[in-house]
Amino acid sequence: MKNIFVPNPKEAESIQIIREVAAQFERPVLLFSGGKDSITLVRLAQKAFYPARIPFPLLHVDTGHNFPETIEFRDQLVEELGLELIVAKVQDSIDQGKVQEEKGRYSSRNSLQTTTLLDAIETHKFDACIGGARRDEEKARAKERVFSVRDDFGQWDEKNQRPELFDMLNGKIHQGQNVRAFPISNWTELDVWEYIKTENIAIPSIYFAHKREIFERDGMIWTASEHVYREENEEVKEKMVRFRTVGDMTCTAAVLSEAETLEEVVEEIRASTISERGARIDDKRSEAAMENRKKVGYF
């Protein structure tokens, strides 16, 4: 019996969106964090333009507090695929006095990324930023369209979005505006993991269960690191953990896990009743934390 090719409709939709971005905009860029969603975007972009190379650069906003495994993976991927990588550093924004480092128990550089990102968009004249946000992640992200327009100041107005009838993507923008494009907006976390498994895509080691020094606060598992504020009474322990989402150390909590292979990760996600963003410390700041960050230009 002949093998029957079964198309993946979500893959096809995402490839079409990426091609639309390349066709409608002059200076697109792919936002790359080294996490599973942006890694999936890179594979989709490869397929969208194969056998040609991906015709736009990657942009990583580096907080300086990233997991070293993620940075190592990022550099290796870029070298293997011959991609152009632009790194915008939050530390530069701090040194220039544009943002101020937070202090204390919940200090993080996560929100500081917005200024660095908007500066990079302006410096490189990017008119479209391809991102890996998905509607199932968080309620503010569920509101966004596939082509989401930002104003002259990088701000998102959720009440003034364009309709996307019959999958028609309108990339027409005025001078100074730019667009955030979300090709995997309609995917779920499980869709991403099953795609990574099917395509056998390499991912950073922090996604697999491993022993790590951690401490616990507010019911969450924090990484013990020089970059993460810890009080003297917060005891450091070594536990088997992994990460479901990758921000930097100051905003990403680990989860207890024994999943050491892709197959085990997929089964763990399939059985989970907790949202992926439940492990994001930055989302705990307020009920509207993500929406407020997005309104001023966050990813």
Side-chain angles (χ1 to χ4, degrees):
M1 181 177 177
K2 293 182 178 178
N3 291 329
I4 300 175
F5 174 68
V6 180
N8 180 337
K10 289 189 175 178
E11 178 191 63
E13 178 190 56
S14 300
I15 288 174
Q16 179 194 355
I17 292 168
I18 292 171
R19 287 173 174 165
E20 283 289 328
V21 173
Q24 296 194 38
F25 298 94
E26 295 182 2
R27 289 281 297 164
V29 66
L30 192 154
L31 302 177
F32 187 80
S33 68
K36 65 184 186 309
D37 299 313
S38 55
I39 292 169
T40 296
L41 284 180
V42 170
R43 174 59 59 90
L44 291 166
Q46 282 183 284
K47 289 193 175 189
F49 305 108
Y50 182 83
R53 291 174 54 188
I54 297 173
F56 39 73
L58 310 187
L59 171 63
H60 181 214
V61 178
D62 186 349
T63 70
H65 293 170
N66 294 96
F67 294 94
E69 300 98 317
T70 307
I71 299 299
E72 182 181 346
F73 178 90
R74 177 199 73 186
D75 294 341
Q76 184 177 342
L77 179 75
V78 166
E79 182 176 353
E80 285 180 357
L81 300 184
L83 303 175
E84 179 186 356
L85 172 68
I86 298 169
V87 179
K89 297 182 178 180
V90 170
Q91 185 63 54
D92 290 343
S93 300
I94 295 172
D95 293 343
Q96 294 164 10
K98 294 181 175 179
V99 294
Q100 189 170 6
E101 186 105 56
E102 296 181 350
K103 304 290 183 185
R105 184 177 172 85
Y106 296 101
S107 57
S108 170
R109 288 186 170 184
N110 186 51
S111 63
L112 308 187
Q113 295 180 91
T114 300
T115 296
T116 310
L117 170 63
L118 296 181
D119 282 352
I121 291 172
E122 183 176 354
T123 298
H124 297 279
K125 308 299 181 189
F126 295 129
D127 53 4
C129 299
I130 303 169
R134 308 186 321 271
R135 289 193 169 112
D136 78 317
E137 284 183 86
E138 202 276 339
K139 56 190 177 186
R141 288 186 164 171
K143 294 181 182 178
E144 288 228 54
R145 304 290 163 78
V146 174
F147 274 13
S148 185
V149 178
R150 298 297 195 271
D151 67 16
D152 295 12
F153 303 99
Q155 296 175 330
W156 172 56
D157 181 1
E158 80 283 5
K159 297 177 182 174
N160 193 27
Q161 298 188 98
R162 293 171 177 167
E164 290 179 341
L165 303 176
F166 309 108
D167 298 329
M168 295 176 66
L169 301 173
N170 181 0
K172 188 174 182 180
I173 54 177
H174 302 297
Q175 187 173 11
Q177 291 182 328
N178 62 80
V179 159
R180 304 288 172 84
F182 302 112
I184 61 171
S185 184
N186 293 330
W187 295 40
T188 65
E189 181 187 14
L190 184 59
D191 289 334
V192 172
W193 279 113
E194 288 186 330
Y195 189 72
I196 288 171
K197 178 172 169 285
T198 301
E199 295 283 316
N200 195 26
I201 300 173
I203 53 175
S205 58
I206 60 173
Y207 279 120
F208 299 113
H210 56 284
K211 287 187 176 179
R212 195 175 199 97
E213 288 193 336
I214 58 93
F215 67 95
E216 299 181 44
R217 177 194 299 160
D218 302 336
M220 306 192 82
I221 300 173
W222 298 61
T223 296
S225 161
E226 61 179 324
H227 301 309
V228 180
Y229 177 89
R230 180 172 59 82
E231 295 179 350
E232 290 184 2
N233 63 344
E234 292 176 321
E235 180 185 1
V236 174
K237 307 172 186 174
E238 189 176 78
K239 289 195 174 182
M240 281 288 285
V241 299
R242 72 176 196 86
F243 295 86
R244 284 179 66 176
T245 177
V246 173
D248 76 3
M249 294 182 188
T250 64
C251 67
T252 310
V255 294
L256 296 174
S257 175
E258 299 292 330
E260 298 181 278
T261 66
L262 267 177
E263 290 76 11
E264 291 171 343
V265 168
V266 169
E267 287 309 308
E268 186 179 272
I269 298 300
R270 197 187 301 277
S272 177
T273 58
I274 300 173
S275 164
E276 169 187 1
R277 298 293 298 194
R280 287 300 291 259
I281 298 161
D282 45 331
D283 288 353
K284 306 294 183 187
R285 293 195 169 201
S286 75
E287 185 68 18
M290 172 65 83
E291 184 156 340
N292 291 337
R293 292 200 303 274
K294 290 183 78 68
K295 283 181 177 178
V296 295
Y298 189 72
F299 301 94

